[in-house]
Amino acid sequence: EAPTPRPPSMPDFLELRVLDALGQLAEGASRLRSFAELNHAALYKILKKHDKVLGTQEGLAQHYPRLVEITGLGNSSRFDALDAAIKGAFMKHSGAQGLEVSPEV
């Protein structure tokens, strides 16, 4: 008869919970980045349509750069910093120092 596997200890269980939470956080951050990129593209298309309907270049030439600057839609550094922080926390809690690991599946 095969030996029955022992249940994980409390520290092992907590470690698994932390890793699962970090994976979910990484997934949420990825979805947030995609949403911001979609909003960036939507703003461009809306202003392009605005210009086409009104027969002007005002929307894309004047408003678009200002809106992108104000909203930060063109700045992905905040997402890069969030990704780095999540990966750092994952490395700290994974016990896999020295290996190339990622919370992304």
Side-chain angles (χ1 to χ4, degrees), residues 4-5 7 31 38 41 43 45 53-54 63 72 75 84 100:
T4 56
R31 292 176 67 194
L38 182 66
L43 178 61
K45 289 181 178 186
V53 168
L54 295 180
H63 298 299
N75 183 0
E100 182 66 32

Side-chain angles (χ1 to χ4, degrees), residues 22 26 82-92 100-104:
L22 287 171
L82 181 57
D83 286 341
I86 293 169
K87 288 178 181 175
F90 186 79
M91 288 296 294
K92 179 180 175 185
E100 182 66 32
V101 295
S102 171
E104 299 165 8

Side-chain angles (χ1 to χ4, degrees), residues 43-61:
L43 178 61
Y44 177 84
K45 289 181 178 186
I46 289 168
L47 290 174
K48 185 175 179 182
K49 185 70 169 185
H50 168 271
D51 288 351
K52 183 178 179 182
V53 168
L54 295 180
T56 181
Q57 298 269 325
E58 182 180 303
L60 285 176

Side-chain angles (χ1 to χ4, degrees), residues 14-92:
L14 293 176
E15 191 75 16
L16 290 173
R17 296 275 313 238
V18 168
L19 293 174
D20 181 55
L22 287 171
Q24 290 179 18
L25 186 60
E27 180 183 344
S30 175
R31 292 176 67 194
L32 183 60
R33 180 190 293 261
S34 296
F35 185 70
E37 290 169 355
L38 182 66
N39 282 338
H40 189 230
L43 178 61
Y44 177 84
K45 289 181 178 186
I46 289 168
L47 290 174
K48 185 175 179 182
K49 185 70 169 185
H50 168 271
D51 288 351
K52 183 178 179 182
V53 168
L54 295 180
T56 181
Q57 298 269 325
E58 182 180 303
L60 285 176
Q62 293 178 11
H63 298 299
Y64 182 72
R66 185 176 53 82
L67 288 171
V68 168
E69 179 66 30
I70 290 170
T71 61
L73 283 175
N75 183 0
S76 67
S77 64
R78 58 190 174 196
F79 297 114
D80 296 337
L82 181 57
D83 286 341
I86 293 169
K87 288 178 181 175
F90 186 79
M91 288 296 294
K92 179 180 175 185

